[in-house]
Amino acid sequence: MYYDEDLVLCGASSYTKKFYFNEDFEIVPKAVKDELKIMCVLFTEDVGGTIQLVYDENGNLEIVVDKEEDDILYDEIGSALKVKEMQREKKELFESLETFYKVMIDPS
């Protein structure tokens, strides 16, 4: 399986109150999926908007956040702080997921 553009691993939305996990990654252990779900849902509950964990074309995992244009409840400052906190606290998880992607999904 080769992807030449960004690939969403998972995401959550405060607008739809839903969590999404890409079926291409079904072999990811349940404990990891659960941790990602908790992390993403808590993010949207805390600051609003949407969050996605996305692999770029090089297999690097990025945190992408967004909000609807008219969302006055979205916490822009809280969002930036929360992303930095996640990058720091979940560094090992993200590195493991990047390695997983490079070995199992796109070993080119």
Side-chain angles (χ1 to χ4, degrees), residues 12 15 47 49 53 69 73 92-93 99 105:
Y15 308 116
V47 300
L53 298 182
E69 191 174 315
L73 299 176
E92 286 181 33
L93 173 64
T99 301
I105 304 297

Side-chain angles (χ1 to χ4, degrees), residues 4-102:
D4 60 354
E5 56 187 58
D6 294 350
L7 176 66
V8 175
L9 170 62
C10 63
S13 170
S14 66
Y15 308 116
T16 61
K17 303 289 188 207
K18 291 187 179 180
F19 173 76
Y20 165 79
F21 190 85
N22 189 332
E23 292 176 4
D24 289 345
F25 298 94
E26 66 187 33
I27 61 174
V28 169
K30 182 177 178 348
V32 173
K33 291 178 189 174
D34 291 345
E35 185 173 355
L36 292 170
K37 181 177 184 177
I38 291 166
M39 179 181 67
C40 289
V41 170
L42 285 178
F43 178 91
T44 59
E45 290 296 315
D46 286 348
V47 300
T50 63
I51 183 170
Q52 292 182 328
L53 298 182
V54 179
Y55 289 103
D56 68 14
E57 66 276 354
N58 298 315
N60 300 311
L61 195 59
E62 299 177 353
I63 300 171
V64 178
V65 296
D66 199 11
K67 67 175 182 74
E68 291 182 356
E69 191 174 315
D70 61 347
D71 185 353
I72 60 171
L73 299 176
Y74 179 75
D75 183 355
E76 193 117 14
I77 295 170
S79 173
L81 293 172
K82 193 94 172 147
V83 166
K84 288 181 196 253
E85 177 185 323
M86 287 169 46
Q87 289 170 328
R88 185 178 63 253
E89 291 181 2
K90 303 293 184 184
K91 184 175 194 245
E92 286 181 33
L93 173 64
F94 293 157
E95 288 173 351
S96 296
L97 287 166
E98 287 176 349
T99 301
F100 168 83
Y101 177 85
K102 291 171 184 169

